[in-house]
Amino acid sequence: MPSSNDLPSNRPGRPRSVGADTAILEATRASLVELGWSKLTMGDVAARAGVAKTTLYRRWAGKNELVVDAVAVLFDELELPDLGSLAADVQGVVLQFAELLERPETRTALMAVVAESTRDAALRTRIQDSIVNRQKRLVVQGRRRAQERGELPPEPDGRTASLAADLIFDVIAGAVVHRTLVSAEPVDADWARRFTSLLLSGLGAVA
């Protein structure tokens, strides 16, 4: 699982400290929950983390980069379970994803960066690179595992595989985020089972 030390940075300076990065990212999420996006400052984060503000600026150019990375490390906690079948694996990762979104720090941070990204193209790109593209690994891993089991046919070429991974990720992430953050409805085992059935079997499986 990637650590906070794996987060991309082209900032010059002394070697990064994993412990300092962890404290800073935790402080960022705590500040977001308490203060919200508009009131969060680099100075507040530095004070909460017990580091100098210059330490933050050696690692992150500004608040946008810092908050995205604070969210990204939470999503790096997601792992695809190996439960013996594609359906079971999908249900497992859906429940894990929903549980992560139930955490106040995840919910607040994710909604804040998504809302802000509607006005900031560079922030959208950073979200895509640091969160979305990194988590597509779960889809790629799940499809490969299902193909090895004989549950799915192999793709004819790399472009088809990439397009399939993009679509599957969008469907799963979109459904779970909407269910938990927009509709404020629970994602329980029954919902995960019915959603997985729809995903794998199509609209005829709704009934």
Side-chain angles (χ1 to χ4, degrees), residues 58-99:
R58 279 199 298 267
R59 291 158 163 77
W60 295 276
K63 182 169 75 172
N64 288 2
E65 292 183 1
L66 174 60
V67 173
V68 171
D69 285 355
V71 178
V73 296
L74 294 177
F75 284 94
D76 285 340
E77 296 177 11
L78 294 173
E79 297 289 349
L80 184 70
D82 188 354
L83 300 175
S85 71
L86 177 59
D89 290 353
V90 171
Q91 291 176 52
V93 80
V94 163
L95 291 171
Q96 192 183 148
F97 182 31
E99 183 178 354

Side-chain angles (χ1 to χ4, degrees), residues 17-207:
S17 161
V18 175
D21 282 0
T22 299
I24 291 167
L25 297 177
E26 288 177 352
T28 302
R29 295 189 295 267
S31 294
L32 270 174
V33 171
E34 181 178 330
L35 303 174
W37 177 277
S38 62
K39 294 182 179 179
L40 182 145
T41 67
M42 298 288 272
D44 178 74
V45 171
R48 287 172 184 261
V51 300
K53 190 158 64 172
T54 54
T55 301
L56 267 68
Y57 283 108
R58 279 199 298 267
R59 291 158 163 77
W60 295 276
K63 182 169 75 172
N64 288 2
E65 292 183 1
L66 174 60
V67 173
V68 171
D69 285 355
V71 178
V73 296
L74 294 177
F75 284 94
D76 285 340
E77 296 177 11
L78 294 173
E79 297 289 349
L80 184 70
D82 188 354
L83 300 175
S85 71
L86 177 59
D89 290 353
V90 171
Q91 291 176 52
V93 80
V94 163
L95 291 171
Q96 192 183 148
F97 182 31
E99 183 178 354
L100 179 63
L101 291 178
E102 287 296 325
R103 290 160 56 177
E105 59 179 1
T106 311
R107 179 189 300 261
T108 303
L110 180 62
M111 293 184 76
V113 295
V114 169
E116 190 65 20
S117 72
T118 62
R119 301 182 289 273
D120 188 332
L123 180 57
R124 283 199 302 275
T125 298
R126 191 169 180 87
I127 291 171
Q128 184 73 29
D129 291 341
S130 299
I131 300 175
V132 175
N133 290 341
R134 285 221 300 250
Q135 298 315 315
K136 284 181 183 176
R137 64 187 169 84
L138 300 173
V139 174
V140 173
Q141 181 184 353
R143 285 180 64 79
R144 183 172 61 246
R145 186 184 293 166
Q147 289 165 350
E148 291 170 354
R149 293 181 183 130
E151 295 175 291
L152 290 176
E155 293 88 357
D157 53 65
R159 174 170 170 75
T160 301
S162 179
L163 290 174
D166 287 348
L167 181 58
I168 294 166
F169 180 89
D170 288 346
V171 170
I172 295 176
V176 177
V177 168
H178 187 279
R179 176 78 175 177
T180 56
L181 302 187
V182 179
S183 299
E185 295 288 344
V187 171
D188 55 18
D190 180 64
W191 188 91
R193 178 188 57 76
R194 291 186 291 110
F195 170 74
T196 300
S197 179
L198 173 62
L199 179 68
L200 300 186
S201 303
L203 293 177
V206 172

